[in-house]
Amino acid sequence: MDRDLRDAALEYHRLPAPGKISVVPTKAMATQRDLALAYSPGVAEPCLVIAADPSQADELTARSNLVAVVTNGTAVLGLGNIGPLAGKPVMEGKACLFKKFAGIDVFDIELAETDPDALIDTIARMEPTFGGINLEDIKAPECFYIEQKLRERMKIPVFHDDQHGTAIIVAAAILNGLKLVKKDIADVRLVCSGAGAAALACLDLIVSLGLRREHIVVSDVFGVVYAGRAEGMDDNKARYAVETSARKLDDIIDGADIFLGLSAGNVLKPEMVKRMARDPLIFAMANPTPEIMPQDALAVRPDAIIGTGRSDFPNQINNVLCFPFIFRGALDCGATTINDAMKLATVRALADLAMTEVPEVVAAAYKGEGLRFGRDYLIPKPFDPRLIEVIAPAVAKAAADTGVARRPIADMADYRSRLARFVYRSGNAMQPVFAVAKGHGKSLLLAEGEEERVLRAAQIIVDEGLAWPKLVGRPAVIEEQIKACGLRLAPGHDCEILDPQDERVYAECAELYHARREREGVSAGLALSEVRGNATVLASLLLTRGVGDAMLCGVVGRTADHLAVIRNVIGLRDDVRTLAVMQMLILPQHQLFICDTHYNADPNAEQVAEIALLAAAAVRRFGITPRVALLSHSSFGSSASPEAQKMRQARVIIHERAPALVVEGEMRGDAALSQAVLDQEFPDSDFEGPSNVLVMPNRDAANISYNLLRMAAGQGLTVGGILLGAAKPAHILTPSSTVRRIVNMAAVAVAGAAVPKT
């Protein structure tokens, strides 16, 4: 490791607090009553319920979402037997991965014990605490015995990730590699370098997929594992001992279809690779130096498909692809074990996922790699957000099918939806909007149809049945982008391209634009130029003419410019006098809507009232009952400033027009969001619970508040900008919009087209 990386790693672990994990309460403890419920005397009640029915621990404690990562430090990464204390940073890291990728809480347990039976007894005694056990960095062959005995004694999942995690990823890569080179797994020959825990687990799993045991030859530090060998043998290795006179790796490599390396760097030589079968699969997983470097293998065999344990080469065999999601599925169905059927279900889920198009978040993380199923992309990348959605349900279903699920998941579609909401936290708030948008057969104009994020979003829009995308852009560019991204979009079949250079598309739009703006200095020539050169102008005109039902723009360019186009071309609804832009923040406990963030610099009382009414109507489409707070620097008449008076007047206007709407103000932000502060300042308030719609006194206050909250409290998760008051359902994104945000806004736009505004 170079000096800079070493110093950075030490600083990372040292600051701002030592280590990588902490314990955070999930319940409030702000009052004496909270304390009485959390501890004595209230805590006695769940204790009594669990004593009478132990299964209630799943509902009343954190056990069903708590895993122990356990080690004795005898085989830590590539560092060897460094002991349990020195291995603690690795276990903390594993805890972070569980939490990051699957929302699972972890206690890392480092045990100063090398006697296998004593270790087994210690771990087994912890069963009341945990919902699952992840064994980590325990040396072979003891790890086989320890896992076996724990599985026999414990009624919760026990999983040695060094063995089975590696095996699952390797098996998925082999399935897809063989599919790519058109070889039958029953016919291929495999050579394995290494006979430790991971290697033998890989072989066992691959055999269960159909590879014949007699087609496998193993070599380790003592040479070929042959029948009758005494040196370095144990019962686990003996399963793969063969009758042969070969004694070295070099003697067994001829004609091999697959090389599996879990041994040491540079043991596979280029001259050996030359003698392998056509299109060989080479998985060289020794770290940090593989059994052969990919470039050396490809230099002598360009037809080889290579995988390593390293992130700087294609096809990284990385356990994080599976272990968080296996435990997620196992915990959620109350599995008593992780059996072979659950592991095989994971293998097939991973293999299938690699053959679908790559989502934007993965493409962005691996920019320039052109990820699509092929020789350099046999398995998904670790940051693919879909892993939890496909693996956890596959595991839970396999557990139920094999009778080891205590709480089988009845509605698998609903379960997948809940998992998707874990990845995309906006999903929970968006469900009512998606439900409205789906099934209406509406079309959606996407102004920046050539943009990669827009095309990826269009693919999801099609897959989820939200709308028929109409992509504004040059056909050749769009089709090339679709191909480059590995998308399945088929223009003419599930989407449409509207070419701004096609006279059939722009001619009538240019005439309409000129007719509308000829008294505003827009000549016929200028109208033609703007229609052909400004995608938002063209999309707005197409929407006005009824060519589409709804529209999104704004991925490229300034929001103010897009707003001006929509105001000039689409115009306002007949019953309103101003536009406004509302943003939705996805906060940990609830959703918060803020307006007007972009349009009205300093609205008057009439405009504030109209913005609030428009916002409330839009919020109802999310299935949320609006509670509108009219914000100011003062609360309930405590200031005579014009700004405060404006917000008070707005409340009067709103009560006259919508007496049933829950609205309060003027009020400070803390009173709007805290019931305790509100009760202290104005106990007679109409509010019960915090506000969810914040109407600001001016644009600066709204925009600043939105961006501060977005970064400080919302982790950047937003839905917007939701344009209020336009004559047609048109909304404006921002250049920083993610694919998920575009999809969410597509649902908002289409729902607006499907349901008349009120």
Side-chain angles (χ1 to χ4, degrees):
M1 185 181 297
D2 65 62
R3 178 84 182 192
D4 288 344
L5 184 58
R6 176 183 179 277
D7 291 345
L10 292 175
E11 183 179 9
Y12 175 86
H13 283 78
R14 187 174 288 126
L15 299 172
K20 298 189 286 281
I21 57 176
S22 67
V23 177
V24 179
T26 60
K27 302 295 191 298
M29 291 191 187
T31 66
Q32 181 62 36
R33 178 171 174 77
D34 291 340
L35 189 60
L37 294 172
Y39 201 56
S40 182
V43 74
E45 295 307 315
C47 292
L48 292 171
V49 169
I50 294 169
D53 179 5
S55 69
Q56 287 298 304
D58 292 344
E59 303 294 329
L60 296 171
T61 75
R63 181 176 184 261
S64 63
N65 195 52
L66 184 61
V67 167
V69 172
V70 183
T71 190
N72 64 357
T74 53
V76 179
L77 295 177
L79 304 175
N81 187 357
I82 61 173
L85 185 58
K88 186 174 176 62
V90 178
M91 303 312 119
E92 287 189 358
K94 196 71 177 276
C96 292
L97 295 177
F98 268 107
K99 188 67 173 180
K100 164 73 175 178
F101 289 102
I104 295 172
D105 295 319
V106 165
F107 291 164
D108 61 296
I109 309 291
E110 293 78 30
L111 298 173
E113 182 57 74
T114 56
D115 178 77
D117 290 312
L119 192 63
I120 290 165
D121 287 340
T122 302
I123 296 170
R125 291 187 183 109
M126 296 190 290
E127 182 168 351
T129 303
F130 297 103
I133 303 291
N134 184 97
L135 299 175
E136 191 76 14
D137 292 350
I138 300 172
K139 72 182 179 73
E142 289 92 331
C143 61
F144 299 112
Y145 173 72
I146 291 166
E147 185 190 35
Q148 177 189 340
K149 291 302 180 183
L150 287 173
R151 283 165 58 93
E152 292 170 1
R153 287 178 60 171
M154 302 181 81
K155 300 302 181 186
I156 58 175
V158 178
F159 188 78
H160 186 205
D161 186 45
D162 296 333
Q163 292 182 60
H164 308 300
T166 303
I168 286 166
I169 311 306
V170 166
I174 285 177
L175 280 184
N176 278 353
L178 293 177
K179 182 177 294 184
L180 201 62
V181 299
K182 297 180 172 55
K183 292 184 181 180
D184 190 326
I185 194 169
D187 298 331
V188 298
R189 181 169 171 271
L190 183 149
V191 168
C192 182
S193 175
L200 295 175
C202 287
L203 296 178
D204 289 345
L205 192 58
I206 297 165
V207 166
S208 71
L209 287 169
L211 186 68
R212 296 178 184 176
R213 190 181 293 266
E214 60 268 26
H215 289 180
I216 297 172
V217 186
V218 179
S219 176
D220 64 7
V221 68
F222 300 106
V224 173
V225 177
Y226 61 89
R229 195 184 94 175
E231 190 176 21
M233 291 296 287
D234 56 54
D235 290 343
N236 294 295
K237 285 185 190 179
R239 295 199 308 274
Y240 290 98
V242 295
E243 296 284 350
T244 180
S245 59
R247 294 295 182 264
K248 298 181 297 183
L249 177 62
D250 189 46
D251 299 333
I252 59 176
I253 197 69
D254 285 20
D257 298 280
I258 303 170
F259 171 82
L260 193 60
L262 293 117
S263 54
N266 298 317
V267 299
L268 183 66
K269 306 301 181 184
E271 54 268 26
M272 298 182 192
V273 175
K274 284 183 181 179
R275 308 202 307 269
M276 293 182 71
R278 72 161 179 90
D279 297 306
L281 307 184
I282 299 173
F283 296 104
M285 291 173 283
N287 260 323
T289 305
E291 284 78 1
I292 188 169
M293 295 299 287
Q295 62 269 27
D296 296 336
L298 291 170
V300 295
R301 289 299 299 270
D303 61 334
I305 297 177
I306 317 290
T308 71
R310 291 174 39 156
S311 61
D312 52 344
F313 294 114
N315 300 319
Q316 183 193 14
I317 309 300
N318 190 331
N319 294 7
V320 78
L321 282 170
C322 70
F323 73 79
F325 318 117
I326 291 173
F327 271 96
R328 180 75 277 158
L331 292 172
D332 289 343
C333 71
T336 57
T337 187
I338 294 173
N339 59 27
D340 288 344
M342 295 157 77
K343 288 183 280 187
L344 288 172
T346 306
V347 171
R348 295 190 174 97
L350 276 169
D352 291 344
L353 183 60
M355 287 186 283
T356 64
E357 68 273 358
V358 175
E360 172 235 7
V361 66
V362 179
Y366 300 92
K367 199 74 175 175
E369 293 190 25
L371 301 180
R372 69 179 71 182
F373 179 64
R375 291 174 175 267
D376 289 339
Y377 184 69
L378 296 178
I379 49 177
K381 292 289 188 179
F383 284 95
D384 193 323
R386 302 168 298 173
L387 287 164
I388 193 171
E389 298 176 51
V390 298
I391 293 177
V395 168
K397 182 178 185 303
D401 291 346
T402 53
V404 300
R406 291 186 294 109
R407 304 186 306 273
I409 294 170
D411 189 338
M412 199 60 72
D414 178 69
Y415 179 52
R416 288 192 183 92
S417 178
R418 285 187 280 124
L419 291 170
R421 291 200 293 270
F422 172 81
V423 180
Y424 303 114
R425 287 196 294 135
S426 58
N428 191 34
M430 290 301 301
Q431 287 305 310
V433 182
F434 274 73
V436 171
K438 287 181 179 181
H440 284 280
K442 298 294 183 180
S443 61
L444 176 67
L445 287 155
L446 296 166
E448 293 94 358
E450 297 177 3
E451 290 293 309
E452 178 181 336
R453 283 170 293 158
V454 172
L455 289 170
R456 290 185 182 279
Q459 182 68 72
I460 298 171
I461 290 165
V462 168
D463 290 345
E464 297 200 10
L466 292 175
W468 171 270
K470 290 178 175 281
L471 304 164
V472 177
R474 295 162 293 178
V477 175
I478 291 174
E479 288 167 6
E480 181 60 32
Q481 281 278 54
I482 289 172
K483 182 179 178 182
C485 296
L487 302 177
R488 291 168 285 109
L489 279 176
H493 179 262
D494 48 27
C495 67
E496 181 180 351
I497 297 175
L498 298 172
D499 184 0
Q501 307 304 315
D502 187 338
E503 187 176 1
R504 293 169 296 180
V505 173
Y506 69 72
E508 289 186 37
C509 290
E511 290 177 9
L512 176 60
Y513 192 54
H514 177 242
R516 289 197 169 192
R517 303 203 63 200
E518 62 181 333
R519 292 186 178 274
E520 299 173 18
V522 177
S523 65
L526 182 57
L528 181 61
S529 175
E530 286 202 38
V531 167
R532 295 179 63 183
N534 188 317
T536 300
V537 170
L538 178 57
S540 298
L541 289 161
L542 290 168
L543 182 64
T544 301
R545 290 177 48 221
V547 174
D549 297 305
M551 164 191 156
L552 292 181
C553 63
V555 174
V556 176
R558 299 191 315 145
T559 300
D561 295 335
H562 295 285
L563 276 167
V565 169
I566 290 174
R567 177 68 187 250
N568 291 330
V569 177
I570 296 174
L572 303 177
R573 283 167 41 182
D574 292 338
D575 56 337
V576 302
R577 301 181 203 177
T578 187
L579 293 174
V581 177
M582 180 172 73
Q583 305 286 350
M584 177 172 133
L585 282 159
I586 313 297
L587 301 177
Q589 268 70 45
H590 60 96
Q591 288 78 45
L592 192 62
F593 298 83
I594 299 177
C595 52
D596 166 25
T597 58
H598 285 87
Y599 194 75
N600 295 282
D602 186 16
N604 58 35
E606 178 73 27
Q607 289 173 317
V608 169
E610 188 166 75
I611 291 168
L613 292 168
L614 290 169
V619 167
R620 290 190 185 96
R621 291 196 182 88
F622 289 86
I624 297 171
T625 300
R627 294 188 299 276
V628 181
L630 305 174
L631 296 191
S632 176
H633 68 282
S634 64
S635 285
F636 310 110
S638 62
S639 171
S641 71
E643 293 83 2
Q645 291 183 30
K646 172 176 73 175
M647 303 309 278
R648 288 199 290 274
Q649 292 167 11
R651 179 177 175 273
V652 173
I653 296 169
I654 293 168
H655 269 305
E656 291 174 352
R657 296 184 185 175
L661 177 64
V662 178
V663 58
E664 192 57 274
E666 92 282 13
M667 62 199 303
R668 294 198 315 268
D670 57 349
L673 297 178
S674 169
Q675 188 67 44
V677 173
L678 184 60
D679 289 344
Q680 181 179 357
E681 293 204 353
F682 197 73
D684 295 329
S685 166
D686 293 336
F687 276 3
E688 290 184 9
S691 168
N692 50 27
V693 181
L694 306 182
V695 179
M696 301 289 180
N698 56 59
R699 183 175 62 197
D700 280 353
N703 197 281
I704 292 168
S705 299
Y706 158 65
N707 281 300
L708 286 174
L709 279 170
R710 178 171 68 93
M711 301 311 298
Q715 298 180 346
L717 297 175
T718 62
V719 178
I722 302 169
L723 186 60
L724 308 173
K728 296 275 188 177
H731 299 282
I732 302 172
L733 300 158
T734 63
S736 62
S737 295
T738 63
V739 168
R740 176 50 51 175
R741 188 174 182 184
I742 297 170
V743 173
N744 285 338
M745 285 305 300
V748 171
V750 174
V755 179
K757 288 183 172 62
T758 57

